[in-house]
DNA sequence: CTCTGTTTAGCGGTCT
DNA sequence: AGACCGCTAAACAGAG
C-alpha cells in the first residue's frame, strides 16, 4: 500500500473544521498553547489548501478563537514579549469531539456564565501579574499586586484549567503540576521566592500554575492531577484519531507517558 | 500600519 | 420546523 504523502489533501480542502485544525495545532505544540501566528503556520505547513486566500480563513479562525469558549487566551509570559496572546484548549472541552473524531463536534462547548466570569477573573489576574512582573524587572515601582480571589485558589474552574505542558525546553525540570501545594500569597515576591516545603494539602490554582510553568522554571512539579490525566487521555485519543484520519499529514510529537 | 482580537450578522448544512 | 454547527464577511478597537 503506497504511503500517503504528507500533503495528501493537496489543494483540496481538508475535512476538518477550523476548531479541529486549531485544536490540532495547539496540541501539537510542546506547551499545548500557541500564539495565533503559530497556529496559522501549523495549518499552512500541513494543509496546502490554506496557503491561499489567507485573509479569508484566518479571519474565520480568529472568529472561532474568540467566539468559542473551548479556546482560552493565556497572557504571554513576561519574559517572552510579542504580539498577541497564547491560545490553549479549555480542558473541559476535551470530550467535545465524538470518540476523538476531529470531523465534527458532538456539541458546542459552552461555559456557564459563572464559570466564564471566574475564568476571566483569573486571566485578568494573570495579566496583572505580568504587568507587575515586567514593572519589577524594569526596576520601576511596582503597581499594586493583584489580590487573590477565592476563585484563584479553588475549584471548579481553575482546578480544571490548563493542559499539562509535555516538555519545556527552557524549563526541563518541570514535569507535572502538584496535587498538593502550600497556598502562597499572591504577591510578586511570594510567587517568585523559592518553593516552601510542602505542608498540608491545598487546592492548586492551575491557571496560575500554568503560567508559573512559564514564569518560574525553578519549581519542580511532580504529582499528576486529574485534569492532567484527562489531558493525557485526550491527547492519546487525539493522536489516534489524527493518525487514522490524517496519517502523515498530521505529525504530532509522541504522546505523553500516561501515569 | 499591520496584526490581533471581538462582535454581529447572515447563510447553508445537519441533526433531532 | 427548529436548534445547532460551521463558514464567511465585515466593522471596529487596541496593541505592538
Amino acid at each position: 500500500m503506497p504511503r500517503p504523502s504528507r500533503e495528501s489533501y493537496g489543494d483540496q480542502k481538508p475535512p476538518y473544521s477550523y476548531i479541529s485544525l486549531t485544536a490540532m495545532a495547539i496540541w501539537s505544540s510542546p506547551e499545548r498553547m500557541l500564539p495565533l501566528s503559530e497556529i496559522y503556520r501549523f495549518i499552512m505547513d500541513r494543509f496546502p489548501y490554506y496557503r491561499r486566500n489567507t485573509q479569508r480563513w484566518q479571519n474565520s479562525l480568529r472568529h472561532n478563537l474568540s467566539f468559542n469558549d473551548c479556546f482560552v487566551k493565556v497572557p504571554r509570559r513576561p519574559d517572552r514579549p510579542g504580539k498577541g496572546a497564547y491560545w490553549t484548549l479549555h480542558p473541559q472541552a476535551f470530550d467535545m469531539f465524538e470518540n476523538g473524531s476531529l470531523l465534527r463536534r458532538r456539541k458546542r462547548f459552552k461555559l456557564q456564565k459563572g464559570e466564564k466570569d471566574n475564568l476571566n477573573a483569573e486571566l485578568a489576574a494573570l495579566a496583572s501579574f505580568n504587568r507587575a512582573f515586567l514593572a519589577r524587572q524594569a526596576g520601576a515601582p511596582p503597581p499594586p499586586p493583584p489580590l487573590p480571589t477565592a476563585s484563584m485558589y479553588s475549584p471548579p474552574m481553575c482546578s480544571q484549567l490548563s493542559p499539562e505542558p509535555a516538555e519545556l525546553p527552557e524549563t526541563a525540570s518541570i514535569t507535572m503540576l502538584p496535587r498538593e501545594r502550600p497556598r502562597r500569597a499572591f504577591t510578586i515576591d511570594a510567587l517568585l521566592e523559592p518553593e516552601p516545603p510542602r505542608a498540608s494539602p491545598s487546592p492548586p490554582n492551575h491557571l496560575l500554575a500554568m503560567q508559573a510553568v512559564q514564569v518560574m522554571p525553578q519549581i519542580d512539579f511532580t504529582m499528576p492531577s486529574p485534569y492532567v490525566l484527562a489531558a493525557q487521555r485526550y491527547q492519546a485519543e487525539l493522536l489516534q484519531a489524527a493518525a487514522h484520519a490524517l496519517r502523515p499529514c498530521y505529525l504530532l510529537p509522541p504522546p505523553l507517558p500516561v501515569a
Side-chain angles (χ1 to χ4, degrees):
Chain A
M1 184 142 157
R3 180 186 172 88
S5 78
R6 175 184 166 87
E7 298 178 349
S8 53
Y9 289 108
D11 286 344
Q12 303 274 18
K13 184 171 186 172
Y16 304 103
S17 67
Y18 292 126
I19 293 178
S20 299
L21 292 169
T22 307
M24 287 180 205
I26 288 170
W27 278 88
S28 74
S29 72
E31 292 172 286
R32 302 296 178 260
M33 52 182 170
L34 283 179
L36 184 61
S37 56
E38 294 298 307
I39 297 174
Y40 292 159
R41 193 141 65 108
F42 175 93
I43 293 172
M44 286 190 289
D45 279 353
R46 283 155 185 79
F47 304 104
Y49 173 85
Y50 291 109
R51 290 172 196 163
R52 300 170 310 181
N53 295 322
T54 53
Q55 201 167 6
R56 188 159 68 169
W57 69 263
Q58 289 179 354
N59 184 20
S60 295
L61 191 140
R62 288 196 305 275
H63 162 79
N64 273 285
L65 284 172
S66 291
F67 183 74
N68 290 290
D69 288 345
C70 57
F71 297 114
V72 179
K73 194 175 69 174
V74 181
R76 275 182 178 269
R77 49 188 277 182
D79 62 336
R80 208 186 276 178
K83 211 164 189 174
Y86 279 76
W87 290 93
T88 190
L89 262 180
H90 195 295
Q92 285 179 11
F94 286 166
D95 64 351
M96 199 167 53
F97 300 96
E98 188 94 55
N99 300 325
S101 166
L102 297 171
L103 298 179
R104 189 179 173 85
R105 288 191 297 175
R106 178 167 44 194
K107 62 183 168 78
R108 174 168 290 175
F109 176 77
K110 201 77 190 146
L111 285 177
Q112 307 269 341
K113 175 81 170 70
E115 292 177 314
K116 207 165 182 173
D117 290 344
N118 286 345
L119 178 55
N120 288 337
E122 292 183 32
L123 291 166
L126 275 183
S128 295
F129 174 83
N130 277 357
R131 282 193 294 275
F133 181 93
L134 285 173
R136 191 177 191 266
Q137 294 288 90
L147 296 174
T149 64
S151 74
M152 292 167 84
Y153 293 100
S154 55
M157 172 57 65
C158 61
S159 67
Q160 313 234 0
L161 192 59
S162 125
E164 190 270 330
E167 62 174 77
L168 296 173
E170 302 153 50
T171 58
S173 69
I174 296 167
T175 54
M176 295 283 179
L177 291 170
R179 187 92 179 105
E180 292 94 26
R181 294 179 70 73
R183 184 173 300 199
R184 308 180 71 179
F186 193 62
T187 65
I188 303 304
D189 290 328
L191 288 170
L192 292 181
E193 78 189 8
E195 183 74 350
R198 292 189 185 171
S200 58
S202 84
N205 175 350
H206 290 131
L207 181 52
L208 276 179
M210 171 157 66
Q211 198 174 48
V213 165
Q214 303 177 11
V215 175
M216 293 172 277
Q218 75 274 22
I219 296 177
D220 176 33
F221 296 144
T222 53
M223 295 288 288
S225 61
Y227 83 91
V228 167
L229 297 176
Q232 289 174 344
R233 277 196 300 274
Y234 171 73
Q235 191 205 15
E237 287 174 14
L238 198 62
L239 283 164
Q240 208 168 14
H244 179 72
L246 284 166
R247 287 185 289 273
C249 278
Y250 175 40
L251 301 171
L252 279 179
L256 298 172
V258 175

